[in-house]
Amino acid sequence: MSTPPRRAARGGRRPGDSGTREAIAAAAREHFGQSGYDGTTVRAIAATAGVNPALVLYFYGSKQQLFVDVMRMPFDVAEAVERLVAGDRATIGRRLAAFVLGALDDPQARNVFLGRVRAAAADRDAAATLRGLITGELVGPLVHRLGVDRPELRAGLVSAALFGHVMTRWVVEIDAVVGMTADETLETLGAVLHLQLTGPLGGSADPPDG
Amino acid sequence: MSTPPRRAARGGRRPGDSGTREAIAAAAREHFGQSGYDGTTVRAIAATAGVNPALVLYFYGSKQQLFVDVMRMPFDVAEAVERLVAGDRATIGRRLAAFVLGALDDPQARNVFLGRVRAAAADRDAAATLRGLITGELVGPLVHRLGVDRPELRAGLVSAALFGHVMTRWVVEIDAVVGMTADETLETLGAVLHLQLTGPLGGSADPPDG
DNA sequence: GTCTATAAGCAGATAGAC
DNA sequence: GTCTATCTGCTTATAGAC
């Protein structure tokens, strides 16, 4: 076979690649992160990348596939969970907060998070895949590995705290949240995460220390 | 007088009204709440209401105006704030949680909340008006009337807790959150709101009791 | 790889008959 | 008030030249 157009899984740019594909990916992340799926047009992505709209679909096949390809988590999720679990349990809330806030500081990771949240708010399928990512790869495994009581419930409450931060800081952009110092953000988010991971839970579970 | 087509501000249906207008409004709330602004078509609203698409725009002028008219808070916001402020301060977190959860139990109010959140996630203008509603009418006035320290920051943190609940329970629909009993929901959300309204704040503010 | 040109579909909105 | 018919614009996607 005369070398079909099979893409190398890793190993950097092959001879013949021009970097256009990655320029399109970067532009797509920017637009999806800022405007969501519906609010982003292939034309706008192409314009930002400085290429022709047809080229976007030449590389990625469809807008949907482009979204899937480009909205993968840009870090090793399992490894991040490992590192959090390995650390001091007494500071898990703060360390989880630090990790998430660090990720949100990186424009690429932030745009991935935001793009998926915005898409989830507009589309049930996108909501389902985000739900799967959270419960199956991110927060779910973390709470299970931590060995806390009622792990699913705590994972849900931890997720709520993270969604709350993302929504107020990056989507609705409430002034007081946008204006918080890095320390304040870390402290307040860490406190909530600590509460949800280690605090008492209403209802049935046995509260630690009456 | 030849009664021009001026709409009575209150007092119920005038002779000649058929109820179609309200049927369209109900259908619109349903669709906007479930699918957001972009995901909702005038045609779909008309189909649900059982009328012709042209009739929707005959009554409301444009899709945008329909959204504005129909997404007003279906309860007296100022009065709700008054009632919360008047109650026992020691239970403010729980009472606020109860109020919000009660509103989310009502399909009409829930669809208004959800429609605005989904629209905010896709559109910067919608995000700005939601931000104004939260800081100017809902949470902002509440924390100010409560006389807490650093009211803007606490309002932001309270808003985050509420967004977190709405996102995990109604948008992303994380199983463990959807499956919580009413008591568990009230208890856990109340606890977070209590923390954000009365707990210590990282950084500069003086912590109560070292 | 990159472009031009265009097809095909669906949206919001309008004109006008009844 | 309610409907039919249609206009206009924008979208994703494709065919094919270079």
Side-chain angles (χ1 to χ4, degrees):
Chain A
M1 293 312 128
S2 54
T3 54
R6 198 148 187 292
R7 214 160 315 284
R10 57 185 62 244
R13 179 183 305 174
R14 289 182 340 226
D17 277 358
S18 62
T20 300
R21 188 188 168 94
E22 191 46 43
I24 291 170
R29 267 186 290 263
E30 189 97 9
H31 280 273
F32 286 139
Q34 191 134 17
S35 310
Y37 184 80
D38 291 334
T40 295
T41 65
V42 172
R43 287 164 148 85
I45 293 170
T48 299
V51 300
N52 189 277
L55 211 54
V56 175
L57 298 173
Y58 166 77
F59 278 116
Y60 290 93
S62 70
K63 181 186 177 183
Q64 174 64 41
Q65 192 54 50
L66 169 62
F67 182 83
V68 170
D69 281 8
V70 138
M71 287 288 148
R72 292 186 208 283
M73 285 295 136
F75 53 86
D76 188 327
V77 172
E79 189 253 352
V81 169
E82 280 313 301
R83 209 154 5 116
L84 286 166
V85 170
D88 179 12
R89 297 300 169 90
T91 62
I92 178 62
R94 190 194 192 86
R95 287 186 298 109
L96 175 56
F99 172 75
V100 173
L101 293 174
L104 288 170
D105 262 343
D106 172 50
Q108 177 169 337
R110 179 170 68 241
N111 279 328
V112 169
F113 276 117
L114 283 176
R116 297 187 76 137
V117 169
R118 300 191 127 110
D123 180 66
R124 293 188 69 84
D125 288 346
T129 67
L130 179 58
R131 176 170 64 244
L133 176 70
I134 290 171
T135 63
E137 299 183 48
L138 287 172
V139 186
L142 176 68
V143 294
H144 277 100
R145 293 286 318 272
L146 286 174
V148 298
D149 63 318
R150 308 194 69 190
E152 281 85 8
L153 175 54
R154 301 195 106 109
L157 297 174
V158 164
S159 305
L162 299 178
F163 274 113
H165 173 73
V166 169
M167 290 296 294
T168 52
R169 172 61 182 86
W170 294 105
V171 176
V172 181
E173 299 185 29
I174 291 178
D175 297 2
V177 178
V178 174
M180 285 167 75
T181 67
D183 266 9
E184 282 172 338
T185 309
L186 177 61
E187 196 103 12
T188 54
L189 182 58
V192 181
L193 293 175
H194 183 78
L195 170 70
Q196 306 298 25
L197 284 171
T198 70
L201 292 173
S204 43
D206 38 291
D209 252 292
Chain B
M1 50 309 240
S2 53
T3 53
R6 199 147 186 291
R7 215 159 314 283
R10 56 185 63 245
R13 179 184 305 174
R14 289 184 339 227
D17 276 358
S18 63
T20 300
R21 187 187 168 95
E22 190 47 44
I24 291 170
R29 267 186 290 263
E30 191 96 8
H31 281 274
F32 286 138
Q34 193 133 18
S35 310
Y37 184 81
D38 291 335
T40 295
T41 66
V42 171
R43 289 165 149 88
I45 293 170
T48 299
V51 301
N52 189 276
L55 210 54
V56 174
L57 298 173
Y58 166 76
F59 277 118
Y60 291 92
S62 72
K63 181 186 178 184
Q64 173 65 41
Q65 191 55 50
L66 169 62
F67 183 84
V68 171
D69 282 8
V70 138
M71 286 290 153
R72 292 186 207 285
M73 286 294 135
F75 53 84
D76 188 326
V77 173
E79 189 254 351
V81 170
E82 281 311 301
R83 212 157 0 119
L84 286 167
V85 171
D88 179 12
R89 297 299 170 90
T91 62
I92 179 63
R94 191 194 190 87
R95 289 186 296 109
L96 175 56
F99 172 74
V100 172
L101 293 174
L104 287 170
D105 262 344
D106 172 51
Q108 177 169 338
R110 178 170 68 242
N111 279 328
V112 169
F113 276 117
L114 284 177
R116 296 187 76 137
V117 169
R118 300 189 127 110
D123 180 66
R124 293 187 68 84
D125 287 346
T129 68
L130 179 58
R131 175 169 65 244
L133 177 70
I134 290 170
T135 62
E137 298 182 48
L138 288 173
V139 187
L142 175 69
V143 294
H144 276 100
R145 293 287 316 272
L146 286 173
V148 298
D149 63 317
R150 309 194 67 189
E152 280 86 9
L153 175 54
R154 303 195 105 111
L157 298 174
V158 164
S159 304
L162 299 178
F163 273 114
H165 172 72
V166 169
M167 290 297 292
T168 52
R169 172 62 183 84
W170 295 106
V171 177
V172 182
E173 299 184 28
I174 291 178
D175 298 2
V177 178
V178 174
M180 285 168 73
T181 67
D183 265 10
E184 284 173 337
T185 310
L186 178 59
E187 196 103 13
T188 53
L189 182 58
V192 181
L193 292 176
H194 184 78
L195 170 69
Q196 305 299 25
L197 284 171
T198 70
L201 293 172
S204 44
D206 37 293
D209 252 294

